[in-house]
Amino acid sequence: MSQFFFILFASISVLANSIFHVSSAIVSTTKTTASNSTAVGCFADFFPASRAMTGASTTSASNTPSTCVSYCTSLGFPYSGTEYANECYCSMTALTTTSTACTMACAGDSKAICGGANAISVMYTNIPRLPATNSTKRGLCWPWNNPASSFAFFSPSAIPWLYNWELWDPRANGVYSTAEFVPMCRTQAEASQVPAYFKNCYAKRLLGFNEPDLPAANGGDYISPYNASLLWKNYIQPVKKSCGTLLGAPAVTNGIGSGWGTDWLHQFFSNCTSPACSFDFIPLHWYGTSLADFETYIAHFHSLFPTYPLWVTEWQFTGVSSTVTANLEKQALQWLDAQSYIARYSMFGPMNSANMAGIVNAAMIKDDLSGLTDIGKIYAGLL
């Protein structure tokens, strides 16, 4: 595993235990309850031969129709079904085989019915779909060791920019050539190389440090906010003066606590003030399991830094199946395109599962490199 992907895997592992949750009063366009839902009826299940609802499932001692609706809609499924008192199932499509065996009380509410033995009490919830407004926001976060042949699976007219966590352009002459390459000064080790790369002003935009808040103990390339400000003033800010390059602030993780995420960024901005430092946009990262948390985190980030356009340069849903990922991806893309303050985004990742740092559910490219997965087709605008 390359150094970068080791760092990414460590970052995700840490964030899995520290995803930032803010009040749902801030924003949540996907949160629904049973009061917004319609009871469809009782339908047959076919366990152990097969399941009637295969999108996602969970069991809970507090299971009710309402909690099941919340679980399924948070994953992008409009149909939710309770079964055998404590089971909850989700589906994108309606069931067809009816049953009369939905007679069992819910584990979480003895006055409500939650299916029965091989019988599912089904609810339908209309999940609003936001219109896409700007598909040109979409980019590729391209790992340095991705085969050049994989560029053929994407179109620069649909995905018109890319970066690779490095200062150097990964493309050979003529390959994906009409797309804009955005270089990155990933760590403090690369900072002194920035002036040489920009001697001829070869890029219109430059991304700052990658997850400088991630400690070395967690596999990161940590930089203190103060030291990062010195490096910025000495090596990165001069590019703005000499080339007019638009500068993206350091991209922090969505970890919480002192020195993490937005706290690190606030400290950095306090040490790197105008006119010695300037920023044209702020990149950020997010990894988690819930669409509502994704939207809420980014909206809260915007509220903290309202004057800057945002680039969501790494984001992905973890710990869920590929089917769930596809459903969440569709809604997330629509939501990102609809937010005027989000200038660009790049979903992790345009690669096969071996290169996904453990997030195999979200690989865009098939393992044999022969084409796109459904995740990749959705991102490429083909599904």
Side-chain angles (χ1 to χ4, degrees):
M1 183 179 290
S2 70
Q3 181 186 28
F4 165 71
F5 286 109
F6 174 77
I7 292 170
L8 176 61
F9 182 78
S11 171
I12 294 167
S13 297
V14 171
L15 294 176
N17 294 315
S18 61
I19 296 300
F20 185 41
H21 297 278
V22 295
S23 172
S24 59
I26 298 173
V27 63
S28 178
T29 62
T30 58
K31 185 177 180 181
T32 55
T33 65
S35 62
N36 308 115
S37 306
T38 302
V40 179
C42 182
F43 294 84
D45 201 1
F46 309 100
F47 181 80
S50 64
R51 285 292 186 188
M53 304 180 79
T54 58
S57 64
T58 186
T59 59
S60 171
S62 57
N63 189 48
T64 67
S66 179
T67 61
C68 188
V69 164
S70 296
Y71 170 75
C72 292
T73 55
S74 73
L75 299 176
F77 294 99
Y79 289 93
S80 58
T82 53
E83 180 175 354
Y84 210 72
N86 65 345
E87 299 171 5
C88 171
Y89 297 91
C90 311
S91 176
M92 289 298 294
T93 57
L95 304 189
T96 57
T97 305
T98 60
S99 171
T100 58
C102 293
T103 58
M104 193 171 290
C106 298
D109 183 356
S110 62
K111 296 180 180 179
I113 297 297
C114 283
N118 264 342
I120 313 174
S121 300
V122 177
M123 304 282 288
Y124 172 77
T125 306
N126 182 35
I127 301 176
R129 306 294 182 181
L130 295 172
T133 58
N134 188 359
S135 61
T136 60
K137 297 178 181 182
R138 200 167 302 180
L140 296 174
C141 48
W142 198 262
W144 67 272
N145 58 347
N146 233 20
S149 59
S150 294
F151 275 117
F153 303 136
F154 303 96
S155 168
S157 63
I159 307 178
W161 71 278
L162 73 150
Y163 79 97
N164 68 337
W165 294 275
E166 304 291 350
L167 288 165
W168 48 270
D169 192 329
R171 300 169 296 177
N173 287 339
V175 176
Y176 215 72
S177 58
T178 59
E180 177 191 3
F181 171 67
V182 182
M184 173 190 285
C185 180
R186 180 166 56 88
T187 72
Q188 55 190 329
E190 283 83 46
S192 62
Q193 302 173 28
V194 170
Y197 270 93
F198 279 83
K199 182 179 180 180
N200 296 317
C201 301
Y202 90 119
K204 297 178 180 179
R205 297 168 179 82
L206 174 64
L207 295 167
F209 304 116
N210 186 73
E211 299 187 346
D213 58 317
L214 186 64
N218 299 116
D221 286 295
Y222 179 80
I223 316 172
S224 73
Y226 175 73
N227 286 343
S229 73
L230 296 180
L231 293 168
W232 194 277
K233 295 169 187 176
N234 289 335
Y235 298 112
I236 298 177
Q237 190 64 36
V239 171
K240 176 80 169 182
K241 182 177 181 180
S242 61
C243 297
T245 304
L246 300 178
L247 302 179
V252 295
T253 70
N254 58 314
I256 60 172
S258 178
W260 283 90
T262 55
D263 181 71
W264 187 100
L265 197 57
H266 277 302
Q267 293 183 49
F268 171 75
F269 283 153
S270 294
N271 284 287
C272 211
T273 58
S274 180
C277 300
S278 64
F279 312 94
D280 297 287
F281 58 94
I282 304 179
L284 67 145
H285 296 172
W286 180 91
Y287 291 92
T289 60
S290 164
L291 180 65
D293 283 348
F294 175 67
E295 296 175 1
T296 300
Y297 177 79
I298 295 175
H300 181 69
F301 195 105
H302 170 59
S303 74
L304 295 177
F305 308 101
T307 62
Y308 294 101
L310 301 184
W311 289 29
V312 191
T313 49
E314 283 185 39
W315 60 276
Q316 193 47 264
F317 299 99
T318 62
V320 294
S321 69
S322 294
T323 300
V324 170
T325 301
N327 294 333
L328 295 174
E329 176 192 6
K330 290 177 181 178
Q331 295 177 83
L333 293 176
Q334 291 174 327
W335 185 83
L336 289 166
D337 284 338
Q339 308 312 306
S340 61
Y341 59 85
I342 296 175
R344 294 188 178 186
Y345 60 81
S346 51
M347 188 180 79
F348 190 81
M351 58 205 82
N352 66 4
S353 61
N355 236 356
M356 284 294 292
I359 316 177
V360 296
N361 57 288
M364 293 191 204
I365 296 175
K366 294 179 179 179
D367 286 344
D368 63 1
L369 305 177
S370 63
L372 295 174
T373 64
D374 285 348
I375 305 294
K377 290 176 182 177
I378 292 167
Y379 197 73
L382 302 176
L383 280 181

